[in-house]
Amino acid sequence: MSDAVSLVPAAKGAGGRPRSQQIDDALVAATLEILDEEGYPGVSLEAVAKRAGTTRPAIYRRWSGRTALVLAAVAARLDIPSPPDTGCTLCDIDESFNIFLGSYRTISPEVLSALYADCAPDPELRAQYLATIIEPARTAVGHTLDRAVDRGDLRETIDRDLLLDFVGSLIHYRAMFSPEHLGDAEAEHAIEMLLQGAAGDYPALVAHSEALEHEALSGTATRHHHHHKAQQ
Amino acid sequence: MSDAVSLVPAAKGAGGRPRSQQIDDALVAATLEILDEEGYPGVSLEAVAKRAGTTRPAIYRRWSGRTALVLAAVAARLDIPSPPDTGCTLCDIDESFNIFLGSYRTISPEVLSALYADCAPDPELRAQYLATIIEPARTAVGHTLDRAVDRGDLRETIDRDLLLDFVGSLIHYRAMFSPEHLGDAEAEHAIEMLLQGAAGDYPALVAHSEALEHEALSGTATRHHHHHKAQQ
DNA sequence: CAACATACGATACGAACCGTAATGTAATGA
DNA sequence: TCATTACATTACGGTTCGTATCGTATGTTG
């Protein structure tokens, strides 16, 4: 569980009866229970309120609606990951896969996809989803990658954010669309491909492509929509 | 537009008044219009029926509900991509990115994420979503990758499906969570990283990791959760 | 201690959908 | 012709939503 800070939007003025923290907690807990037992579609505000021993208006006093409530509940369960730092780049990246996997292990991809779908149309909720669920893992793994670059283990010219996207997106994709999460053996394969590269001889591929491009420029029909920057 | 085959589940018996193809088409068209104008949340069956000039029961005669309707409508708009085959591996993979992008350009990631969220809990709809929206692009790009392997442009030991996942997942991820789709320049970066690899010296990283592992095995405290297969 | 402001439980209301059922009429095939 | 199914129309019961209205409880401020 992360810090209890701001799971609930702050109350309005200072005066008056303060909100019950117990109700805050009970609502979040009830939401998580229902998510686990019945999934996202089972979360009706009536059901949440009933299980929490309170009523619907109490929810609306705290959140703008179902989506915001679920987002807060999910955030309450997620850990803030800390970046691996073993000094061994391969091991660190291996651990990084687990960091990305963390969200999907504790929440269930079905819930996350439904939650995101509801968040996406609203800029504020969408930003909150990204900040809560996507960013922490990226930040942690990002630090790890930075250290690997500092050590000189990764190419200097590397696009760090892109590498981050590759790792994060693969795990997200597999969580959503595959029957099973990425296993250890597959993770190792993935790391190998990312670090070693898929090409047998990359410079040769570039050379070939450029040769075709010149050929195309000199008047013939073959089309090449894709352009190469000069190799450094 | 793909083939009109089986956009609508087949009618029951042979006898009786046949379904109106015009109504089929009008419903699909109305659904797509509403998706474009108001997004997924705007698609109520009442609204679709009204715009199509018919009524709700006519929808239920054809589909099991809103999710199946939208899935059919989306499928109607998607092209079945054909695999690039220019003989230039770099160019083909570049085109492959565009194939994956195709779905997200014609449908809007918000709609797709909401649709998937609704499909996911139902095994049949989920399978249909995968077969309709995910698989065609994968199949097309898969053929392209196979040819690249045949040409010897990719490592022989490569995991073709994993490479497919890397490309597909990156584009999916960016479509969902980034403000903008992957651009040409970024795609080129991505291809470069995938083919060339991110490591400066991959064998050295493996060697280092293995050295640490031996050290750990010989009794000291350092933990290594990750195991290496023998290098071939 | 008094006044005020807000949360709380309980309840109710209108609106929007949903999924289905019941009509009578239209269109096809046997 | 007769059986069968689609069609438009209308209606029903059910669920959930978001909000409103109470009287009561629990704090803070003067």
Side-chain angles (χ1 to χ4, degrees):
Chain A
M1 273 246 235
S2 68
D3 277 354
V5 172
S6 98
L7 287 183
V8 181
K12 304 191 169 181
R17 177 177 178 174
R19 291 214 192 111
S20 163
Q21 170 94 38
Q22 296 192 10
I23 294 182
D24 294 356
D25 298 344
L27 285 172
V28 166
T31 303
L32 288 174
E33 286 173 24
I34 297 179
L35 281 177
D36 290 339
E37 295 171 13
E38 310 179 47
Y40 195 85
V43 178
S44 79
L45 299 193
E46 181 61 37
V48 170
K50 187 171 186 179
R51 190 184 286 237
T54 180
T55 58
R56 253 177 314 141
I59 300 181
Y60 285 104
R61 258 174 242 124
R62 291 166 169 77
W63 295 282
S64 59
R66 191 175 69 147
T67 309
L69 165 64
V70 174
L71 189 50
V74 166
R77 179 178 282 179
L78 287 180
D79 281 327
I80 296 176
S82 50
D85 186 13
T86 63
C88 160
T89 295
L90 276 186
C91 319
D92 283 356
I93 294 183
D94 199 65
E95 266 309 307
S96 294
F97 273 75
N98 282 325
I99 286 180
F100 279 117
L101 265 173
S103 321
Y104 305 105
R105 275 204 251 264
T106 54
I107 302 288
S108 123
E110 280 187 18
V111 167
L112 286 182
S113 67
L115 174 58
Y116 179 72
D118 279 353
C119 288
D122 181 290
E124 193 164 333
L125 288 174
R126 183 190 145 87
Q128 204 175 335
Y129 181 97
L130 295 180
T132 303
I133 301 184
I134 305 287
E135 265 309 310
R138 288 182 62 87
T139 300
V141 173
H143 287 154
T144 297
L145 291 185
D146 286 341
R147 275 193 288 269
V149 171
D150 289 346
R151 270 196 299 269
D153 284 351
L154 299 182
R155 239 176 261 285
E156 289 174 2
T157 59
I158 211 171
D159 182 338
R160 191 206 79 149
D161 288 336
L162 179 60
L163 182 52
L164 209 48
D165 279 351
F166 267 123
V167 178
S169 68
L170 180 68
I171 287 174
H172 179 261
Y173 189 78
R174 295 289 281 247
M176 292 287 181
F177 302 128
S178 290
E180 315 218 328
H181 286 169
L182 201 74
D184 284 351
E186 290 175 301
E188 202 161 332
H189 261 123
I191 294 170
E192 181 182 334
M193 186 178 295
L194 271 183
L195 296 187
Q196 191 180 24
D201 184 352
Y202 182 69
L205 294 183
V206 174
H208 180 217
S209 169
E210 284 176 344
L212 287 177
E213 196 163 350
H214 288 142
E215 191 179 303
L217 284 180
S218 46
T220 54
T222 314
R223 298 278 295 285
H224 261 45
H225 295 95
H226 119 251
H227 306 287
H228 301 282
K229 292 173 299 192
Q231 289 293 101
Q232 41 146 16
Chain B
M1 268 241 228
S2 69
D3 279 350
V5 172
S6 98
L7 286 185
V8 181
K12 303 192 171 181
R17 177 177 178 174
R19 289 212 195 116
S20 162
Q21 171 95 36
Q22 297 192 9
I23 294 183
D24 294 356
D25 299 344
L27 285 171
V28 166
T31 303
L32 287 174
E33 287 174 24
I34 296 179
L35 280 177
D36 290 339
E37 295 170 13
E38 311 179 46
Y40 195 85
V43 178
S44 79
L45 299 193
E46 181 61 38
V48 171
K50 188 171 185 178
R51 189 182 288 237
T54 179
T55 57
R56 256 177 310 143
I59 299 181
Y60 284 104
R61 257 175 245 123
R62 291 166 170 76
W63 296 282
S64 59
R66 190 175 69 147
T67 310
L69 165 65
V70 174
L71 190 50
V74 166
R77 179 178 283 178
L78 288 180
D79 280 327
I80 296 177
S82 51
D85 185 13
T86 64
C88 160
T89 295
L90 277 185
C91 319
D92 284 356
I93 295 184
D94 199 63
E95 267 309 306
S96 294
F97 272 76
N98 282 326
I99 286 181
F100 278 118
L101 265 172
S103 322
Y104 305 106
R105 275 206 251 263
T106 54
I107 303 288
S108 127
E110 280 187 16
V111 168
L112 286 182
S113 66
L115 174 58
Y116 179 72
D118 279 353
C119 288
D122 182 291
E124 193 165 332
L125 287 174
R126 184 191 145 86
Q128 204 175 335
Y129 181 96
L130 295 180
T132 303
I133 300 183
I134 304 286
E135 267 309 310
R138 287 182 63 87
T139 301
V141 173
H143 286 154
T144 297
L145 291 185
D146 286 342
R147 273 193 289 269
V149 172
D150 289 347
R151 270 196 298 271
D153 283 350
L154 300 181
R155 241 176 259 286
E156 290 174 1
T157 59
I158 211 172
D159 182 338
R160 190 206 80 150
D161 288 336
L162 179 59
L163 182 52
L164 210 47
D165 280 350
F166 266 123
V167 178
S169 69
L170 180 68
I171 287 172
H172 177 262
Y173 190 78
R174 294 290 279 250
M176 291 288 182
F177 302 127
S178 291
E180 314 219 328
H181 286 168
L182 201 74
D184 284 352
E186 289 174 302
E188 202 162 330
H189 262 122
I191 294 170
E192 180 181 337
M193 186 179 294
L194 271 184
L195 296 186
Q196 191 181 23
D201 183 352
Y202 181 70
L205 294 183
V206 173
H208 181 217
S209 170
E210 283 175 344
L212 286 177
E213 196 164 352
H214 288 142
E215 192 178 300
L217 283 179
S218 47
T220 53
T222 315
R223 299 278 293 284
H224 261 45
H225 295 96
H226 118 252
H227 307 286
H228 300 283
K229 291 173 299 192
Q231 290 293 99
Q232 41 149 14

